[in-house]
Amino acid sequence: QVQLVESGGGLVQPGGSLRLSCAASGYTLNYYAIGWFRQAPGKEREGVSCISATDGSTSYADSVKGRFTISSDISKNTVYLQMNELKPEDTAVYYCAADRIFHTVVTGNTDYWGQGTQVTVSS
C-alpha cells in the first residue's frame, strides 16, 4: 500500500521561502517517480514539478522555474519541494503523487496521492 504524507506548508510573506516534504511509505522511493501538484480555490489542479526515480531527471512548470527545486532523499524515502521567491499566486493546496511511470506522474493520472498541505503567500 503506497502512502504519501505532505508537510511543511504554512503562511509566508511574498518573497519568502518554504520547503515541502512528501514522506513515502509502502514502497521504496527509488522505484517510483514523484510529482508535486497544486490546486488553488476555483482553479484546476496544476502540475508543479516531478522527479524521476530512474535517473533523477526533473521537470518544472514554467510558472515556477528558477524559484522551485525538487529533490529526493532515498535514505529518508522523502521528496522535497524547496520554494523560494514565493508569490501570492503560489497560494494553493500542494499535493504529492507517485507512480512507477514518470509520464503517469507528469500527467497526474495516478491513484497514489497525499492529503495535501496548504501554502498561503500573503502580506
Side-chain angles (χ1 to χ4, degrees):
Q1 182 78 11
V2 175
Q3 292 185 331
L4 303 168
V5 179
E6 303 96 334
S7 62
L11 173 63
V12 64
Q13 291 186 342
S17 298
L18 283 175
R19 189 178 77 159
L20 305 184
S21 299
C22 174
S25 62
Y27 70 96
T28 52
L29 197 59
N30 50 345
Y31 292 111
Y32 279 74
I34 297 289
W36 284 99
F37 296 78
R38 64 187 182 186
Q39 188 165 21
K43 295 187 176 181
E44 293 190 355
R45 187 180 65 200
E46 172 190 20
V48 175
S49 181
C50 293
I51 186 165
S52 168
T54 54
D55 60 6
S57 59
T58 59
S59 66
Y60 296 92
D62 288 341
S63 58
V64 306
K65 279 181 182 176
R67 299 189 298 122
F68 291 11
T69 303
I70 191 170
S71 62
S72 64
D73 186 336
I74 300 294
S75 66
K76 296 182 179 179
N77 229 30
T78 299
V79 170
Y80 303 99
L81 185 68
Q82 178 66 43
M83 306 186 297
N84 299 328
E85 301 176 32
L86 283 162
K87 305 174 180 180
E89 50 264 43
D90 294 318
T91 296
V93 178
Y94 284 70
Y95 301 89
C96 63
D99 200 274
R100 287 182 175 269
I101 302 172
F102 184 68
H103 179 72
T104 301
V105 173
V106 170
T107 59
N109 291 323
T110 175
D111 293 332
Y112 305 120
W113 293 85
Q115 83 289 348
T117 185
Q118 176 71 47
V119 172
T120 302
V121 185
S122 175
S123 56

